[in-house]
Amino acid sequence: MIQDFINFLHLSAFHLVTWKMMVMWGIVLVLLYLAVYKGFEPLLLIPIAFGALIANLPTQGMVNLPAHGQPGGLYYYITKGITWEIFPPLIFLGVGALTDFGPLIANPRTLILGAAAQLGIFATFLGASLLGFTTRQAASIGIIGGADGPTAIFMCNKLAPELLAPIAVAAYSYMSLVPLIQPPIMRLLTTKHERRIRMKSLRKVSKLEKLLFCLTVMVLSVLLVPAASALIAMLMLGNFLRECGVTERLSNAAQNEIINVTTIFLGTSIGITMTGERFLNAETLKIIFLGLFAFGLSTAGGVLMGKFMNFMSPKNPINPLIGAAGVSAVPMAARVAQLEGQREDPNNYLLMHAMGPNVAGVIGTAVVAGYFIACLSK
């Protein structure tokens, strides 16, 4: 009887479970808790958590490589969407279709806030270099500060594919945790009076302005940093479909089916990389810490630039809280700015104002990534 039970265990997969797998199960539960009960970007965290759970189970037919004439596992093929750089541009297509660029066009000076929020990328690039990472690895780690998962994956795949797993996990985790990480920094760097600043209503932006903006930004960005062409072009295509008024079906597809399906596959593909052996080591912990530093510094850079702009132009003040939206987490960072403003003044509506630097951050992070790729790929 005992021997039969032992034989059964060997036929099952229980004996293949390791302590590292069980630690990762705990991390999966934390991610699911944050997604389901705290509402921290569940569309991202739930697929990532499920992918991580799959990665830390002794599965068959999921992640195995092709061998002896047999096909590879399911995620051997799905993850090609990352390694072949298909998923990130498709996400940008959906983001463009979902986002109104009008606030940025109506208040172009918010571009400066988006630029200032790239501070964490460059500072972390220097810091990671000093900690022993190569310049290509340091640049890939620094881009986490833009809080833009697709751009981080796109850039890391070109410069430091060996770090793709921890960088992708860090980038998407911090995107999801924007409501937890940003508010303390925003409150620390602003006064109650600054948080109560009410901004002037934005002017109405015409359809023609929006269409010309898409085309102009795409042409200029591609000419400036051709390495980021795939991201910028798909972002602007999605927005053009949204704003032109004659492609509603295509715009709806980009906003719903395409981005939703891609998010499922991208999120689970990221989670699949979170094996215990790869995740529970000193290098990964360094990357996660540096990513947090980058993201926090980018948030601070945007807020401080808002304060500086007020100092330079006191007659047309900017609520510095919207500077924190200069990171690329669209539209979560803009919503956080809105919520923080309403904590001090329930009748202060900052969401549309915050969308200006938020859009600028998306474009800015893609441009910075293109710059690093162009400089370091040689």
Side-chain angles (χ1 to χ4, degrees), residues 98-174:
L98 285 164
T99 307
D100 181 8
F101 290 0
L104 176 59
I105 301 170
N107 191 3
R109 64 184 182 143
T110 55
L111 272 169
I112 301 172
L113 297 173
Q118 309 308 308
L119 172 65
I121 296 176
F122 293 100
T124 304
F125 168 66
L126 297 175
S129 298
L130 294 174
L131 288 176
F133 291 96
T134 68
T135 53
R136 293 161 68 104
Q137 291 175 336
S140 300
I141 294 168
I143 206 70
I144 298 171
D148 190 333
T151 301
I153 290 170
F154 184 84
M155 179 172 159
C156 187
N157 211 35
K158 290 183 179 293
L159 297 182
E162 70 278 5
L163 298 184
L164 180 60
I167 286 175
V169 170
Y172 271 98
S173 297
Y174 296 138

Side-chain angles (χ1 to χ4, degrees), residues 27-335:
I27 293 173
V28 167
L29 290 176
V30 172
L31 294 178
L32 290 175
Y33 172 76
L34 292 173
V36 176
Y37 291 98
K38 294 297 183 180
F40 291 164
E41 289 294 317
L43 299 181
L44 292 175
L45 281 190
I46 289 176
I48 290 173
F50 262 82
L53 183 58
I54 292 168
N56 290 281
L57 289 170
T59 57
Q60 292 183 2
M62 291 296 287
V63 295
N64 53 287
L65 301 175
H68 310 297
Q70 296 298 314
L74 175 64
Y75 271 88
Y76 168 77
Y77 298 102
I78 291 178
T79 54
K80 295 300 183 186
I82 291 179
T83 56
W84 292 346
E85 298 169 4
I86 296 171
F87 291 158
L90 288 180
I91 292 289
F92 263 57
L93 174 70
V95 170
L98 285 164
T99 307
D100 181 8
F101 290 0
L104 176 59
I105 301 170
N107 191 3
R109 64 184 182 143
T110 55
L111 272 169
I112 301 172
L113 297 173
Q118 309 308 308
L119 172 65
I121 296 176
F122 293 100
T124 304
F125 168 66
L126 297 175
S129 298
L130 294 174
L131 288 176
F133 291 96
T134 68
T135 53
R136 293 161 68 104
Q137 291 175 336
S140 300
I141 294 168
I143 206 70
I144 298 171
D148 190 333
T151 301
I153 290 170
F154 184 84
M155 179 172 159
C156 187
N157 211 35
K158 290 183 179 293
L159 297 182
E162 70 278 5
L163 298 184
L164 180 60
I167 286 175
V169 170
Y172 271 98
S173 297
Y174 296 138
M175 281 178 67
S176 304
L177 298 176
V178 163
L180 193 65
I181 298 170
Q182 282 198 320
I185 299 171
M186 296 160 75
R187 291 173 210 151
L188 178 66
L189 297 178
T190 56
T191 66
K192 184 172 288 192
H193 170 73
E194 287 172 328
R195 294 193 291 272
R196 287 179 173 174
I197 291 175
R198 294 191 181 188
M199 297 177 62
K200 295 178 181 178
S201 297
L202 296 171
R203 67 176 179 85
K204 183 175 177 59
V205 178
S206 69
K207 179 200 290 190
L208 180 60
E209 285 180 281
K210 292 181 179 181
L211 297 181
L212 289 176
F213 179 82
C214 281
L215 298 176
T216 303
V217 170
M218 186 174 79
V219 170
L220 291 177
S221 297
V222 170
L223 291 176
L224 183 65
V225 281
S229 297
L231 299 179
I232 295 292
M234 295 303 280
L235 178 71
M236 295 306 162
L237 170 60
N239 195 254
F240 199 95
L241 293 174
R242 169 196 173 96
E243 301 298 351
C244 69
V246 293
T247 55
E248 185 176 354
R249 285 172 55 193
L250 300 182
S251 177
N252 288 338
Q255 292 179 35
N256 296 288
E257 292 85 1
I258 293 175
I259 195 171
N260 288 338
V261 171
T262 305
T263 298
I264 293 172
F265 290 151
L266 177 62
T268 50
S269 294
I270 291 168
I272 285 287
T273 65
M274 294 174 62
T275 60
E277 289 74 17
R278 184 182 290 169
F279 200 75
L280 299 175
N281 59 64
E283 185 178 71
T284 298
L285 295 177
K286 275 187 197 177
I287 290 170
I288 291 174
F289 171 77
L290 285 167
L292 179 60
F293 172 77
F295 180 55
L297 197 56
S298 289
T299 299
V303 174
L304 292 174
M305 178 55 73
K307 293 166 72 77
F308 179 72
M309 290 171 70
N310 283 344
F311 175 76
M312 297 299 293
S313 180
K315 292 184 179 179
N316 187 17
I318 283 179
N319 190 311
L321 293 176
I322 72 169
V327 298
S328 300
V330 179
M332 177 60 76
R335 289 202 294 262

